[in-house]
Amino acid sequence: MVNKKSPGTANIWRSGEGGSEITNSPEIILKTLAMLKKKRGFVALLHKGYQSGSTVLVGLESTGVLIDKPVDWPGTSKSIRVVFKDKTNVWNHFTVKVINSSKDTLKTEFPTELFRLQRRRHFRIDVPMGSLASFSRKREAFADVDVVNISAGGLLLNSAKLAPIIGESGDDSIQDVVIQIVADAGDTSGQDEPITVRKGKIVRETYDRQTSQLTLAVELFPTSGEEKELFKYVRWRELEMLRKGIKN
């Protein structure tokens, strides 16, 4: 096994942009990749215009990382982003240059920087403008409410058309939540079908009288099938976040 330890290097994570944490610790990076290789955890390779299917690490050397070469590898970029989930099911990624390519293997530089999305019970993902939600409450329908962000457990909604909903009644339950997320400009791989969750509740309601803006934080109570659809979109959106910034 390659020895990448550096005495005196602090094993710390620091905050980065987009809800990420960053480490330059050789110890942490080596430990993470060694565990990924041992467990044969799946990785995906990204560069501009390309995303591989699932592949695996096949070796760690002092001079780099060996990756099982995807069958559709285009070989058009010198720099790639390697994306995977660690043992805590958190997205990680690192960006490295490809040193060489054989019939079955890609060899990259050994990463000096590792990113991971910060751990949260439900990581919230911003959605494209124009995404809308509808729901009902006490047999009253509410439609075309702007979706600000989404997680596997809730939504943040905003509206300049609605007055406060809960008010003094204290009844915060809602039903038949339908979420229609539009695709980003030029992107055809967004959420085509609406996501529907039968039950939810408004856990926070704020109203700005000066701007007539109503903001609603909604907790969702999905069935197993509904939760699967939520996770499917959130995970896809997380991967899109990791893709951002790829130039090559």
Side-chain angles (χ1 to χ4, degrees):
M1 175 62 68
V2 57
N3 182 8
K4 300 293 287 185
K5 289 189 176 181
S6 175
T9 301
N11 292 346
I12 60 174
W13 293 87
R14 65 184 187 276
S15 296
E17 297 180 355
S20 67
E21 296 174 317
I22 310 167
T23 185
N24 297 99
S25 165
E27 293 91 341
I28 291 179
I29 296 172
L30 175 58
K31 183 177 180 180
T32 301
L33 297 188
M35 181 61 69
L36 185 66
K37 175 180 174 293
K38 180 179 179 181
K39 299 294 186 181
R40 292 191 64 82
F42 290 128
V43 304
L45 310 182
L46 310 177
H47 65 68
K48 188 174 182 181
Y50 174 76
Q51 176 181 325
S52 76
S54 297
T55 186
V56 294
L57 304 187
V58 294
L60 298 176
E61 299 180 349
S62 59
T63 55
V65 178
L66 302 178
I67 304 171
D68 189 29
K69 184 178 178 181
V71 294
D72 63 344
W73 177 247
T76 57
S77 178
K78 295 182 179 179
S79 179
I80 61 172
R81 180 165 294 180
V82 181
V83 178
F84 60 94
K85 282 195 171 183
D86 62 22
K87 63 181 181 180
T88 63
N89 210 33
V90 172
W91 282 110
N92 288 239
H93 76 272
F94 58 86
T95 301
V96 286
K97 289 184 179 179
V98 177
I99 298 174
N100 58 56
S101 172
S102 68
K103 180 180 178 181
D104 301 315
T105 307
L106 296 175
K107 182 175 182 179
T108 76
E109 300 171 320
F110 203 95
T112 58
E113 196 168 52
L114 179 65
F115 294 76
R116 71 179 179 191
L117 291 183
Q118 292 178 2
R119 296 172 185 158
R120 302 179 190 176
R121 180 172 176 266
H122 290 305
F123 191 83
R124 290 192 173 272
I125 302 295
D126 290 338
V127 300
M129 291 183 62
S131 299
L132 300 173
S134 64
F135 57 89
S136 61
R137 176 178 174 273
K138 292 184 175 181
R139 298 183 180 179
E140 181 179 1
F142 298 85
D144 298 334
V145 185
D146 294 324
V147 181
V148 180
N149 59 45
I150 185 172
S151 75
L155 298 167
L156 185 65
L157 306 177
N158 190 56
S159 176
K161 302 174 183 178
L162 296 178
I165 295 173
I166 300 176
E168 298 179 357
S169 70
D171 184 0
D172 55 8
S173 61
I174 60 175
Q175 299 80 37
D176 302 321
V177 182
V178 180
I179 310 151
Q180 181 66 67
I181 301 171
V182 301
D184 284 316
D187 180 17
T188 60
S189 57
Q191 182 71 27
D192 295 326
E193 298 296 326
I195 300 172
T196 302
V197 178
R198 186 176 178 183
K199 295 181 180 181
K201 74 173 182 178
I202 299 171
V203 295
R204 187 176 69 256
E205 176 184 75
T206 58
Y207 184 69
D208 188 325
R209 296 185 181 279
Q210 290 186 337
T211 61
S212 299
Q213 291 287 326
L214 176 68
T215 301
L216 302 172
V218 174
E219 182 178 2
L220 299 174
F221 304 105
T223 64
S224 58
E226 293 167 348
E227 186 176 49
K228 182 178 179 181
E229 289 303 309
L230 282 167
F231 269 121
K232 179 180 176 182
Y233 176 76
V234 170
R235 285 169 179 166
W236 174 83
R237 195 69 181 169
E238 283 178 342
L239 197 57
E240 287 300 296
M241 289 176 62
L242 295 176
R243 188 198 296 272
K244 288 182 179 179
I246 297 177
K247 304 295 185 181
N248 301 308

